[in-house]
Amino acid sequence: MGQLAAGIAHEINNPMAYVRSNLSMLRGEWETVRKRLGGNDAASGPVTDCEELIDECLEGVERTISIVKDIREFSHAGGGAFAPADVNLLVEKALRMASGQRSNRLRVVQHLGPLPRLRCSAGSLEQVFLNLLVNAFDAVGREGDIEVVTRCEGAFISVRIIDGGVGIPAEDLGRLFDPFFTTKEAGQGTGLGLFVSYEIVKLHGGEIVATSVLGEGSSFEVRLPLATAGEDPA
Ligand SMILES: Nc1ncnc2c1ncn2[C@@H]1O[C@H](COP(=O)(O)OP(=O)(O)OP(=O)(O)O)[C@@H](O)[C@H]1O
Ligand SMILES: [Mg+2]
């Protein structure tokens, strides 16, 4: 992420904007065609098909535009200054980004409890949640359940990402957060996701707690104190 992602997102935005505008105009023109054809029964099938096709294209374009918007906000905000933010919103954004191209047989259950605003680096925390979610999606593969639970526990905000995936062998639990520790194939993972995530959470005075049962699944809990001693490191 970062500069490159922001640049690509920006380049995608421009053509998408005119595809959207042209499709909207096409939709309008098509209305006129439909009215002129009036009661012509022979044409009614293809006319309706075309309408549906245009609407589906518009939906796709809207979705692309919203993903690009997320990417831009995400890469601009990374590492930014501390400011009050709604952690549930950050979790939701990360979820939208992580679930983009995943199989629809994956079920994500969300239990987002009421949370006080947290003084944090929003873009960085979003990256943490995205890293954990991508790992969870990788662990469950093409079919399975992921649960995301947020809640306020006294002086802490707790964000748990629980997956029913492959699980983690006991001997690996101790080195998950080491830089470059990965069990993924070359090109699939660099082993930096958890390391970077832990660094970010530490900057917020918090911790990540991992538990797992091999063959059953894993849980990663991000614990963020509502009041940090160190305050703004930026
Ligand atoms: N939810 C999970 N279920 C099972 N194993 C996991 C899970 N999360 C992390 N791991 C294990 O921890 C390793 C390190 O994770 P980490 O996110 O740091 O790196 P990575 O996913 O391999 O690569 P990347 O740098 O792309 O994130 C993974 O390779 C995997 O073996
Ligand atoms: Mg990872």
Side-chain angles (χ1 to χ4, degrees), residues 131-132 134-140 161 163 165-169 172 175-178 180-184 188-197 212 217-220:
N131 286 342
L132 295 178
V134 168
N135 283 348
F137 278 115
D138 286 348
V140 295
I161 292 162
D163 68 68
V166 290
I168 301 163
D172 287 349
R175 47 187 180 148
L176 289 180
F177 299 96
D178 291 354
F180 303 111
F181 173 75
T182 182
T183 58
K184 294 174 188 170
Q188 300 282 69
T190 53
L192 284 174
L194 286 179
F195 170 70
V196 169
S197 300
S212 184
S218 313
S219 153
F220 284 78

Side-chain angles (χ1 to χ4, degrees), residues 36-66:
R36 293 216 180 132
L37 285 170
N40 183 343
D41 283 346
S44 79
V47 164
T48 313
D49 286 351
C50 285
E51 256 166 38
E52 282 170 12
L53 289 172
I54 296 171
D55 287 345
E56 277 173 25
C57 289
L58 268 169
E59 268 176 48
V61 169
E62 294 298 344
R63 183 157 159 65
T64 309
I65 288 172
S66 106

